[in-house]
Each structure stands twice: as structure tokens, then as C-alpha cells.
Amino acid sequence: MPAGTIALTNNSAAVTGTGTSFTTELKVGDFVGVIVGGAPYTLVVSSIASNTQLALGVPFNGPTTSGLAWYAVPASLMVAVTQQSLNDMSKVLRGMILDKANWQQIFTGSGNVTVNLSDGTSWTGPAWNGISSTVSGKMDKSQNLNDVADKPTARSNLGLGDAATKSVGSAANTVAAGNDARFVNFTVTQSPKNIVVSNSFRWDVPAGLICHGGANSASRTSVFTIDWTSGGGTHIFIDSTDMGQVQFITSDERLKTKIQPAASGFVDRVKSQEVVEYEWIDKKMRGSNRLRGFIAQRVGKVDPMLMNGSEEGQYGLEIIGLLADAYGAIQEQQTFIETQATELEELKARMKAIDCLDS
């Protein structure tokens, strides 16, 4: 801060200094800065008479005051400050002008509009009219799909078939319910822990329906029946022909009793089973390929435990039993192989000792 103090008189351009050096610290066009009564004043210098006397370009309009500390502000600094202030104001004004133009586009434009920012960047997005056009005609979730105009096309796009438009009932062209008369001899009773289906379930196959696949497929009218009263088991019938017993396979220990290891002799039983090749008599129903497998009656002669069914219906095989025999045979053979391997190693050791190969 410059040395000395100054005195200012209201409505006077004269400035009197005490201990000041105006001629060396100021030049015409510079500014004198003071604070009077808490208010800052910046006063331009129009002439310098001496180190203690100068004149202002504009009379001082503040209160008369003396003993004021002061500071010199070069004209070049004031110009730079003023220019920066103008630049800042210009930037603010440009931003306000851009904002007005941008908002006008957002409010009145259609489709996509480009918003320009004061830093030179831009952004492209939908105007309000464009957003309104995009959502116009779209589904209103409060309508619960009632506002879908083309419901058949919508169902097709969702992959829904005709059943989506049919009511549940027992009449034709309705989705079948549990009490539908089209279910023949079908009775369901329910207890607290079980659902029991009694008697039999029949499916009357319409004329013209392909009942099976393969080259010999034929159209026919047949009755398909699941019967779980015949011989104490569950059998499949086509018309009156028993197609065989249905196997329900479970192996839960909680359902079994009198559990004990199976009798040995697996290899002998497997060797005794005859593997045959055959063709089915009913080629239309079962196909015409030549197959390899077993004959239930022949398997039963070797081991009755492996055959099921009855003379009144058809005989079948206990597949799990056959598999168990195969596993048992593998285990017996493995035990035999391991025993032979041990004996072979002992023989090798003896031969080396006899031939003195270890010496």
C-alpha cells in the first residue's frame, strides 16, 4: 500500500495528500482506491500537480473525509479487470441466449432437436412434441390390455394358440375341465395326504389321427386306456390289446423292507441268459426294424424274479433286476481278476528266486 494518507471533500475533484508521493506512484489515467464509511470508491486521476496534490476526473461524491489510507490501481490493470468483467458478462449473455433458443426448440420442435451449450458442445434428443408422438397410442397399463386394438395379432406375437380365447367347460370348443364328459370312466378322490384315481382312464382317438410314428404310420379310430386294476398293476391298452405293464421306478430305502445282500452266482446267471434278435409281429404298432434283446419267458426260466406280468395279459422284464445282475457279474469278475493278479505277482517273485535273477 502507498505511503501517506489523503483527504477528500464532497463534490470536489481536489485530493490533498499527507506524506504521499503522487508523482512517482501515479500517472494520469490511473485510479485511486479508498474505502469511506465501509464503501469502496475507485477514483480516476485527471492531473497530478505535486506529490501531495492531484485532481480527479469526476468530483468525489462521498462524504468529506481525511486521513484515508489509499492504494494505486494502474490503468492497465483496471482495463484488464474491466475487459474480464465484460468477457464474463458476455459469456453469461451468450448462455442465456442459447438457453432461450434451446428451450424454444424443446417446447415447439418435433422429432429430434439439437441443443447447443455455451462451451461449444451440443446434445441431440427428442423434443416434447416428439416424445408425445412416440408415446401416443401406446398401451396404458391401467387398461389391463383392454386398449390393445389388434388382439389376435398380439396373441400371435406372444405365441399363444386358440386355447387363449376359449372358455373352460365341458361343451365342444371349450378347454376341458376335470368334470368334462369327454373324459370317460375317470374318477378322482382326495384324502388329506393322497390323491387316488380309480377305475380306468380312456382316450377315444378321433378318426384320422396318427396314432404312432414311423414309416408304417396309419390313421385309425382306437381307444387308449390306462388300467390300474388288472392283475394289481398298471397296464396300457389299445382297444382290448394289453400293450404291457407300466413300470414306476423308485429306489427310496424308506419304501423297502427285508433288505439283504443278493445271492451270489451273478456271472452264472448272466451267462445263462439268452440274448436274441427278433422282429415284432405287429409292425404297424411297433415298427419293422430287427432288434436285439430278451424274451421275457426265457429270462423267467433262468430267474423268475426277472419276469413280470401274467398269462392273461403280457409278460415283461424287471429291467432293474437285469441291470443288478449285470452289475453283480462285473463285481464278481473284478474280484476274480484282482485275485489272479495277486497270484501272478507271487508266481513272478518265485520264478525270480528260482532263476537267481535277484543276485
Side-chain angles (χ1 to χ4, degrees), residues 45-64:
V45 177
S46 63
S47 63
I48 301 173
S50 66
N51 282 332
T52 59
Q53 294 292 327
L54 62 77
L56 302 175
V58 178
F60 176 63
N61 60 3
T64 299

Side-chain angles (χ1 to χ4, degrees), residues 275-289:
V275 180
V276 301
E277 292 185 355
Y278 61 90
E279 295 179 8
W280 291 107
I281 296 173
D282 187 351
K283 292 180 171 55
K284 288 185 178 181
M285 181 64 68
R286 299 181 182 271
S288 60
N289 294 336

Side-chain angles (χ1 to χ4, degrees), residues 21-294:
S21 300
F22 291 154
T23 57
T24 59
E25 294 182 339
L26 293 170
K27 63 181 180 293
V28 174
D30 285 349
F31 294 82
V32 174
V34 294
I35 296 177
V36 181
Y41 291 86
T42 304
L43 311 170
V44 62
V45 177
S46 63
S47 63
I48 301 173
S50 66
N51 282 332
T52 59
Q53 294 292 327
L54 62 77
L56 302 175
V58 178
F60 176 63
N61 60 3
T64 299
T65 311
S66 61
L68 291 171
W70 67 286
Y71 54 91
V73 181
S76 59
L77 177 60
M78 183 58 73
V79 169
V81 172
T82 302
Q83 185 62 49
Q84 185 61 44
S85 298
L86 292 174
N87 292 343
D88 291 343
M89 184 175 294
S90 176
K91 181 178 180 180
V92 172
L93 289 175
R94 285 197 305 272
M96 293 176 65
I97 293 171
L98 286 173
D99 282 348
K100 181 179 179 181
N102 291 335
W103 279 113
Q104 186 171 359
Q105 288 192 95
I106 295 296
F107 287 142
T108 62
S110 60
N112 287 335
V113 296
T114 299
V115 172
N116 297 306
L117 305 179
S118 58
D119 61 359
T121 60
S122 62
W123 171 83
T124 299
W128 285 6
N129 285 336
I131 296 174
S132 177
S133 299
T134 300
V135 301
S136 177
K138 297 298 186 291
M139 290 190 300
D140 182 354
K141 66 180 182 179
S142 66
Q143 294 295 315
N144 197 23
L145 301 182
N146 286 331
D147 56 343
V148 177
D150 190 351
K151 291 180 174 61
T153 300
R155 284 193 296 270
S156 176
N157 291 337
L158 290 172
L160 301 177
D162 293 341
T165 62
K166 297 185 184 300
S167 300
V168 176
S170 59
N173 297 320
T174 61
V175 179
N179 59 352
D180 197 325
R182 290 168 287 183
F183 290 128
V184 182
N185 297 334
F186 188 62
T187 305
V188 178
T189 59
Q190 184 171 358
S191 64
K193 292 186 178 180
N194 301 293
I195 296 178
V196 179
V197 184
S198 59
N199 207 345
S200 63
F201 172 81
R202 288 178 47 185
W203 173 37
D204 292 327
V205 183
L209 181 68
I210 302 299
C211 296
H212 58 87
N216 296 317
S217 298
S219 300
R220 63 186 67 188
T221 300
S222 301
V223 176
F224 172 81
T225 306
I226 301 174
D227 188 345
W228 45 89
T229 61
S230 175
T234 300
H235 286 249
I236 302 296
F237 286 84
I238 301 297
D239 292 331
S240 60
T241 302
D242 187 349
M243 306 306 298
Q245 185 173 356
V246 178
Q247 296 286 333
F248 297 98
I249 300 175
T250 182
S251 190
D252 195 318
E253 184 179 30
R254 296 170 296 180
L255 303 178
K256 302 176 181 180
T257 186
K258 298 182 180 178
I259 301 172
Q260 62 185 35
S264 59
F266 296 105
V267 173
D268 292 336
R269 288 199 296 274
V270 169
K271 287 173 63 178
S272 299
Q273 294 295 355
E274 181 183 11
V275 180
V276 301
E277 292 185 355
Y278 61 90
E279 295 179 8
W280 291 107
I281 296 173
D282 187 351
K283 292 180 171 55
K284 288 185 178 181
M285 181 64 68
R286 299 181 182 271
S288 60
N289 294 336
R290 188 162 182 80
L291 303 172
R292 182 177 295 111
F294 301 95

Side-chain angles (χ1 to χ4, degrees), residues 266-267 324-338:
F266 296 105
V267 173
D325 268 355
Y327 264 80
I330 293 172
Q331 291 171 350
E332 285 184 353
Q333 288 179 336
Q334 184 62 29
T335 300
F336 179 72
I337 291 171
E338 291 173 356

